[in-house]
Amino acid sequence: QWPAVESGGGLVQPGGSLRLSCTASGLTLGDYAIGWFRQDPGKEREGVSCIGSTGGSKNYADSVKGRFTISRDNAQNTVYLQMNNLKPEDTSVYFCAPTLGACSPYALTNPPPGAEYWGQGTQVTVSS
């Protein structure tokens, strides 16, 4: 089971901001390129952003470009997703998972298929 834990979600008004965190115990996140994905019930999982193991490469879904920023602090074993100017359509459950191969546009459209990578996630709700 992928041991990462997501946190930082919540209820925010449109135009607001949240910062999500992905941490892990017993696992060095710095060994992996990490992606943030989101999924609503009954819908397919959607790639939001990913970052290379050293932070050198980053990719974003078109829907979040210019609003979301991914970063990582390997010393703190944490990957972040700063979400600004949130919109109601950003409402979803957000997950972090290792990408298939390097961080790339392909990795965002191809989340890892195994159920072991998908835990509780963190709920983000954007509503007035």
Side-chain angles (χ1 to χ4, degrees):
Q1 183 74 33
W2 174 249
V5 176
E6 304 90 351
S7 63
L11 173 63
V12 64
Q13 292 186 342
S17 298
L18 287 172
R19 189 177 78 160
L20 306 185
S21 298
C22 170
T23 61
S25 297
L27 178 75
T28 301
L29 290 181
D31 290 341
Y32 301 86
I34 299 294
W36 282 99
F37 302 86
R38 62 190 183 189
Q39 186 174 26
D40 293 327
K43 295 186 178 180
E44 290 190 358
R45 198 166 285 124
E46 175 189 10
V48 175
S49 181
C50 64
I51 187 168
S53 59
T54 61
S57 64
K58 301 177 183 180
N59 282 276
Y60 298 91
D62 288 343
S63 59
V64 306
K65 280 181 181 176
R67 301 188 298 120
F68 291 11
T69 302
I70 193 169
S71 63
R72 69 190 305 158
D73 183 341
N74 286 344
Q76 296 295 320
N77 207 35
T78 303
V79 176
Y80 302 100
L81 185 68
Q82 178 67 43
M83 306 187 297
N84 297 330
N85 191 22
L86 282 159
K87 302 176 180 180
E89 53 263 42
D90 295 317
T91 296
S92 191
V93 181
Y94 286 71
F95 303 86
C96 64
T99 58
L100 290 180
C103 170
S104 66
Y106 172 86
L108 287 183
T109 57
N110 291 272
E116 66 269 25
Y117 295 109
W118 309 104
Q120 296 297 314
T122 187
Q123 175 71 49
V124 171
T125 302
V126 185
S127 175
S128 55

